[in-house]
Amino acid sequence: MHTHTPASHGLADLGTAELVAGYRSGAFTPVEVLEAVRRRVEELEPTVNALWAGDLDDGSAAWAAAEEAGRRYAAGTPRGPLDGVPVTVKENIARKGVAKPAGHAAGVPPVAEADAPIVARLHEAGAVLFSSTVMPDWGMLSSGVSSRHGITRSPLDPTLTTGGSSSGAGAAAAAGYGPVHIGSDIGGSIRLPGTWLGLATLKPSFGRVPLDAPYLGRCAGPLARRVSDLRAAMQVIGRPDVRDVSELPPYHGDYSRPLSAAPGPAQAPGSRPASLEGVRIAWHTDAGCGASTDPEVAEVVVRTAELLRDAGAELTEIPPFMDPGLLADVDRFWRVRSWGDLRALPVEEQHRILPHVAQWCQAGADVSGVEVLRCYHSIQQMREAAIAATAAYDFVLSPVAPMAAFPAEQPMPFLDPSVPMTHIGFTVPYNMSEQPAATVDAGATADGRRVGVQLAGRRFDDAGVLSLAEVLEGLLSG
């Protein structure tokens, strides 16, 4: 069953560059685009279930923002690449006056007293922020299953998962609820929807996109259908804010850079990608921990490596640098943190947490302080291992997850909450090493489930990662 695919056309499906060009020429207005998004939402949302605290009623703040953007374009004074562009943010990204339930049904969700840095940047840029998007309980599932929201389903096939925990953001992107959706990622929560929903995504370098509650490994970044939309989003949200104590120094570029040192003419828009001569890319299909990589997923990575080699890149297969102990330790560290969240709830509310998450949390109840500190040091070892294994290369190509999409009703790709997270061996090391990592839709299994690849880069090289992702996107469509 397919409710919608990226092959359909309409104003709701246009990318940021096409929208801005249309606004500038007068071909259509931000209000007309928002109306197209509203029609798409009305058509698909009963099945997809991606949105929380939406704002698409006539006369709402979103409509006012669209009208104001239209006036700026008419006056020739647009504010940038997202002016008038419909966007959403994950529900854990604060919007002033909007409740933040963190995906779970326990208690009364707190109402945000101020906009998060991301939301402030979006408003300043003239983006039309019309909704938050849903997530599973505390963001600790890689699916769209939530005790508060129910099940969020893939717009490509509603029987399949969206991935998570940026489940609503991924579903909104795949459904065509506008071109840009902002999620968060502490172990793969942006990139897993990327692979299972056929999206382009970016988990930026740690500290590149400001958060008002930074935490070890946590990043926020965009999900979209095309890499150019990721770049447009980063130009807006990738700016510092004093509230993020982990913020990086300001970045003043446009999130693109030349990849090859080889001489030759500049790449024209829409032309075949420029040469990758001299670009060093490591690749692997074995994470060294967790679930074994499905042969169909591995084959997509191998074919992608061949494409990049044919484009001039130097490809080197590397051994895995994770191991089961590192994966188990970061899982245990998170269990203790989430056990603290569960224990803080009134006893009568604890049963409202999704059973899979509650059982997973409870395994952290009796972990000693000494063991928690050992797990913290293990995370630093993971960081060291990732950097040591990848430092000799410009980029690393791998699967995003070792498996293709699983049924929408499953909280995780595995059923036993007592085992460590078996599906994040490729993604979590780059959270802890603080390196940027993008996903590109690169193929499909024999039964049609989408498979993405991950492209990780050196710390701070978000521009390089996006540039390689865009080259690969062109190679795959060529």
Side-chain angles (χ1 to χ4, degrees), residues 87-94 116 118-119 122 131-136 139 164-173 179-194 199-204 209-211 217-224 230 233-234 237 431:
V87 302
T88 69
V89 297
K90 192 173 176 180
E91 69 176 77
N92 62 348
I93 300 172
I118 290 168
V119 172
L122 290 168
S131 186
S132 297
T133 53
V134 300
M135 59 188 279
S165 64
S166 300
S167 50
V180 170
H181 305 272
I182 310 302
S184 64
D185 186 316
I186 198 172
S189 292
I190 287 172
R191 290 158 289 166
L192 294 167
L199 300 173
T201 72
L202 177 69
K203 180 209 76 68
V209 173
L211 303 173
R218 179 181 288 142
C219 298
L223 301 89
L230 305 180
M234 287 299 295
I237 66 172
N431 291 81

Side-chain angles (χ1 to χ4, degrees), residues 335-347:
R335 287 178 195 251
V336 174
R337 185 196 65 174
S338 293
W339 166 246
D341 292 333
L342 181 64
R343 189 178 64 172
L345 294 173
V347 172

Side-chain angles (χ1 to χ4, degrees), residues 133-148:
T133 53
V134 300
M135 59 188 279
D137 295 40
W138 286 316
M140 297 315 297
L141 294 176
S142 299
S143 71
V145 180
S146 159
S147 61
R148 176 173 290 273

Side-chain angles (χ1 to χ4, degrees), residues 192-438:
L192 294 167
T195 186
W196 294 326
L197 292 171
L199 300 173
T201 72
L202 177 69
K203 180 209 76 68
S205 298
F206 182 76
R208 175 58 64 208
V209 173
L211 303 173
D212 50 7
Y215 187 85
L216 179 68
R218 179 181 288 142
C219 298
L223 301 89
R225 293 189 190 175
R226 50 188 77 75
V227 176
S228 59
D229 294 332
L230 305 180
R231 181 176 291 114
M234 287 299 295
Q235 290 172 13
V236 171
I237 66 172
R239 306 204 319 265
D241 189 291
V242 69
R243 287 174 286 177
D244 189 339
V245 296
S246 65
E247 69 177 10
L248 296 180
Y251 171 78
H252 299 293
D254 64 356
Y255 287 93
S256 66
R257 72 167 177 83
L259 293 171
S260 175
Q267 182 184 347
S271 67
R272 285 192 61 79
S275 168
L276 294 178
E277 184 178 342
V279 178
R280 298 166 298 177
I281 302 176
W283 68 279
H284 63 125
T285 58
D286 179 2
C289 60
S292 298
T293 304
D294 184 300
E296 289 189 278
V297 172
E299 179 58 28
V300 170
V301 176
V302 172
R303 290 199 305 267
T304 302
E306 292 170 351
L307 270 179
L308 293 168
R309 181 181 288 114
D310 290 345
E314 300 172 7
L315 271 291
T316 303
E317 186 174 7
I318 60 171
F321 52 86
M322 284 284 286
D323 63 53
L326 294 174
L327 184 64
D329 287 346
V330 71
D331 181 271
R332 186 175 295 112
F333 187 82
W334 288 339
R335 287 178 195 251
V336 174
R337 185 196 65 174
S338 293
W339 166 246
D341 292 333
L342 181 64
R343 189 178 64 172
L345 294 173
V347 172
E348 64 272 16
E349 293 289 334
Q350 292 179 8
H351 74 280
R352 298 183 183 276
I353 299 299
L354 202 73
H356 186 107
V357 174
Q359 292 175 44
W360 178 82
C361 292
Q362 286 163 0
D366 298 320
V367 177
S368 71
V370 170
E371 175 65 4
V372 172
L373 189 60
R374 189 195 65 77
C375 290
Y376 174 81
H377 288 311
S378 179
I379 291 171
Q380 307 315 307
Q381 292 168 10
M382 183 193 302
R383 173 188 179 121
E384 293 168 5
I387 292 172
T390 63
Y393 307 98
D394 300 306
F395 305 100
V396 182
L397 167 71
S398 74
V400 182
M403 69 285 292
F406 50 93
E409 293 78 10
Q410 276 184 220
M412 285 288 211
F414 53 91
L415 301 178
D416 184 357
S418 70
V419 302
M421 296 185 181
T422 61
H423 59 298
I424 63 171
F426 292 107
T427 51
V428 69
Y430 297 117
N431 291 81
M432 302 312 161
S433 68
E434 305 185 3
Q435 295 170 253

Side-chain angles (χ1 to χ4, degrees), residues 90-165:
K90 192 173 176 180
E91 69 176 77
N92 62 348
I93 300 172
R95 297 164 58 203
K96 184 177 180 180
V98 175
K100 295 173 58 184
H104 65 78
V108 178
V111 175
E113 296 182 357
D115 286 337
I118 290 168
V119 172
R121 300 294 88 76
L122 290 168
H123 286 322
E124 291 164 5
V128 179
L129 205 173
F130 67 89
S131 186
S132 297
T133 53
V134 300
M135 59 188 279
D137 295 40
W138 286 316
M140 297 315 297
L141 294 176
S142 299
S143 71
V145 180
S146 159
S147 61
R148 176 173 290 273
H149 306 300
I151 298 172
T152 302
R153 298 179 179 274
S154 169
L156 309 182
D157 181 345
T159 69
L160 296 177
T161 188
T162 56
S165 64

Side-chain angles (χ1 to χ4, degrees), residues 13-68:
D13 295 303
L14 297 181
T16 53
E18 295 168 298
L19 290 177
V20 168
Y23 297 158
R24 287 182 180 275
S25 70
F28 46 80
T29 69
V31 167
E32 291 173 308
V33 171
L34 188 60
E35 177 58 38
V37 169
R38 176 163 67 177
R39 290 195 300 268
R40 180 67 56 76
V41 168
E42 290 172 346
E43 174 191 358
L44 298 185
E45 189 59 8
T47 299
V48 172
N49 186 31
L51 303 184
W52 163 257
D55 189 19
L56 282 169
D57 293 335
D58 289 341
S60 69
W63 290 102
E67 291 166 356
E68 290 170 7

